[in-house]
Amino acid sequence: MRKSSSLTKIKEILLSTRNLLNDNAILDSDIESDLLISCALNISRSELHMNINSDISTSDQTKIQNLVNRRLHHEPLAYILGYREFFGNLFTVNESVLIPRPETECLVEEIIDYLRSKSIKNPIVLDVGCGSGIIGASVLQNIPNITLVSIDISHSAAKIANENLHKITKSDNFNVLICDLIEGVKLPVDLIAANLPYIPTKRIPKLQKEIVLHEPKIALDGGIEGIETICRLINQSTRILKPDGAIFLEIDPEQKYTLVNEITQAFPEHTIKVLPDLSGLDRIISVTKL
Ligand SMILES: C[S@@+](CC[C@H](N)C(=O)[O-])C[C@H]1O[C@@H](n2cnc3c(N)ncnc32)[C@H](O)[C@@H]1O
């Protein structure tokens, strides 16, 4: 970042940061500048704007420069701030977990609608590949009578999920398991939710630098076709899904035909629907008994 010793007021630093982010093709430079500077100064965004004419000390200028430099080196904003908003809550994130994506909110909405419509007594719900725990935490917060089991193969992701589940749900109705998919689950379950890695291995190096350099490969890489882990889950699910249980999956739109075919073979009695995300892309597969 340009040395800014002559810049002493918040408004001047804000403007220079916006320009710098813009020049480096970082989208949403206005919001990102606000958030980086308020994070460095440890104040809220509204406090930042209320104090726009205040002077900034040299040590605070250094803190701002450090955060802006990290962003210029393609570190995602969410990892710098240490949180990302999802379904109305702030989830702690770090480089052990995928940054929550808005399309996953559609998956959560579908699950909540389904559970409300069925009013099952104390349903057991799995969140497989839970990452930061967003799916399970959002469902448990809205449907408190579920028993949630959040699962991840990554120890460090499971730790973050546990932290977020405690913070957000304020409930004891959950467990976090570290295992390969649902190997460690013995009891029959009512609902399996999963946003597992679904990017074909070859496509990963072509993604945005923010993703390639910082997000965990284990959260992205779905094998040659991108569907390896999801297919393994579908096949394992036949062992533990109750006869009238349901599965909700987030997918890449290009995988829908292959996956619908796979699910039809594993669950021939179930109804399979492909549902769109907010951009109209086929992003969710629901597998339910009508
Ligand atoms: C695409 S990320 C999704 C994280 C979170 N569910 C979300 O929506 O933000 C996939 C997650 O699946 C986990 N994962 C990958 N392979 C797994 C496996 N075989 N068993 C359990 N978890 C796995 C990764 O560690 C990662 O946290």
Side-chain angles (χ1 to χ4, degrees):
M1 189 189 178
R2 188 153 57 95
K3 193 83 183 122
S4 56
S5 52
S6 59
L7 301 173
T8 52
K9 294 205 183 301
I10 287 184
K11 67 176 173 196
E12 290 162 334
I13 298 238
L14 248 182
L15 188 62
S16 82
T17 305
R18 281 178 193 168
N19 290 338
L20 196 56
L21 296 185
N22 248 334
D23 292 348
N24 283 274
I26 292 173
L27 299 174
D28 301 323
S29 58
D30 288 10
I31 298 170
E32 293 221 3
S33 307
D34 280 11
L35 293 173
L36 287 168
I37 295 172
S38 46
C39 175
L41 300 178
N42 200 18
I43 56 175
S44 69
R45 222 176 139 191
S46 49
E47 284 171 315
L48 181 79
H49 284 280
M50 281 187 310
N51 293 291
I52 205 92
N53 288 312
S54 303
D55 289 330
I56 303 186
S57 67
T58 323
S59 74
D60 279 342
Q61 286 185 39
T62 309
K63 284 185 200 159
I64 295 169
Q65 281 178 4
N66 287 341
L67 295 196
V68 174
N69 281 338
R70 283 167 64 185
R71 187 67 192 94
L72 293 176
H73 284 93
H74 304 285
E75 185 171 344
L77 182 70
Y79 291 148
I80 299 174
L81 301 177
Y83 66 83
R84 170 54 53 95
E85 197 262 338
F86 180 85
F87 220 74
N89 292 302
L90 294 184
F91 282 82
T92 297
V93 293
N94 63 22
E95 292 203 13
S96 325
V97 294
L98 189 91
I99 298 167
R101 305 294 205 263
E103 49 269 35
T104 309
E105 293 186 331
C106 301
L107 178 72
V108 169
E109 268 166 17
E110 290 298 333
I111 296 167
I112 292 173
D113 286 352
Y114 169 83
L115 288 170
R116 285 200 176 125
S117 75
K118 288 281 171 187
S119 36
I120 309 160
K121 197 168 174 243
N122 306 123
I124 299 178
V125 173
L126 305 185
D127 174 9
V128 187
C130 63
S132 59
I134 51 167
I135 299 173
S138 308
V139 174
L140 178 55
Q141 191 186 39
N142 284 277
I143 317 266
N145 75 327
I146 67 166
T147 296
L148 171 71
V149 183
S150 293
I151 300 171
D152 208 287
I153 200 164
S154 149
H155 282 67
S156 45
K159 190 165 168 271
I160 297 286
N162 198 33
E163 210 180 285
N164 280 323
L165 278 155
H166 274 293
K167 184 177 73 179
I168 282 150
T169 69
K170 312 229 172 2
S171 160
D172 291 329
N173 285 356
F174 69 85
N175 265 303
V176 179
L177 288 187
I178 300 164
C179 67
D180 184 6
L181 299 176
I182 49 179
E183 260 179 7
V185 182
K186 306 289 175 226
L187 289 175
V189 304
D190 296 276
L191 190 145
I192 299 174
N195 175 19
L196 285 164
Y198 55 68
I199 301 176
T201 311
K202 266 210 269 185
R203 214 192 288 163
I204 293 177
K206 296 177 193 145
L207 300 173
Q208 270 177 288
K209 274 195 184 148
E210 273 76 358
I211 302 174
V212 180
L213 297 176
H214 294 278
E215 297 208 70
K217 292 283 167 300
I218 196 167
L220 304 169
D221 192 342
I224 294 173
E225 308 272 344
I227 55 171
E228 265 169 33
T229 319
I230 301 179
C231 285
R232 275 206 302 127
L233 175 69
I234 293 165
N235 293 318
Q236 289 183 9
S237 298
T238 54
R239 178 177 61 80
I240 56 157
L241 191 70
K242 287 184 186 172
D244 55 355
I247 304 177
F248 288 81
L249 303 170
E250 182 171 319
I251 60 157
D252 179 323
E254 287 178 19
Q255 299 162 349
K256 68 177 173 181
Y257 295 115
T258 321
L259 285 175
V260 166
N261 200 16
E262 193 79 15
I263 296 167
T264 311
Q265 287 177 37
F267 295 97
E269 311 281 307
H270 278 67
T271 302
I272 303 163
K273 283 190 195 153
V274 180
L275 307 160
D277 62 18
L278 289 173
S279 320
L281 297 171
D282 290 330
R283 184 69 64 190
I284 298 158
I285 295 187
S286 73
V287 186
T288 59
K289 268 280 183 66
L290 288 181

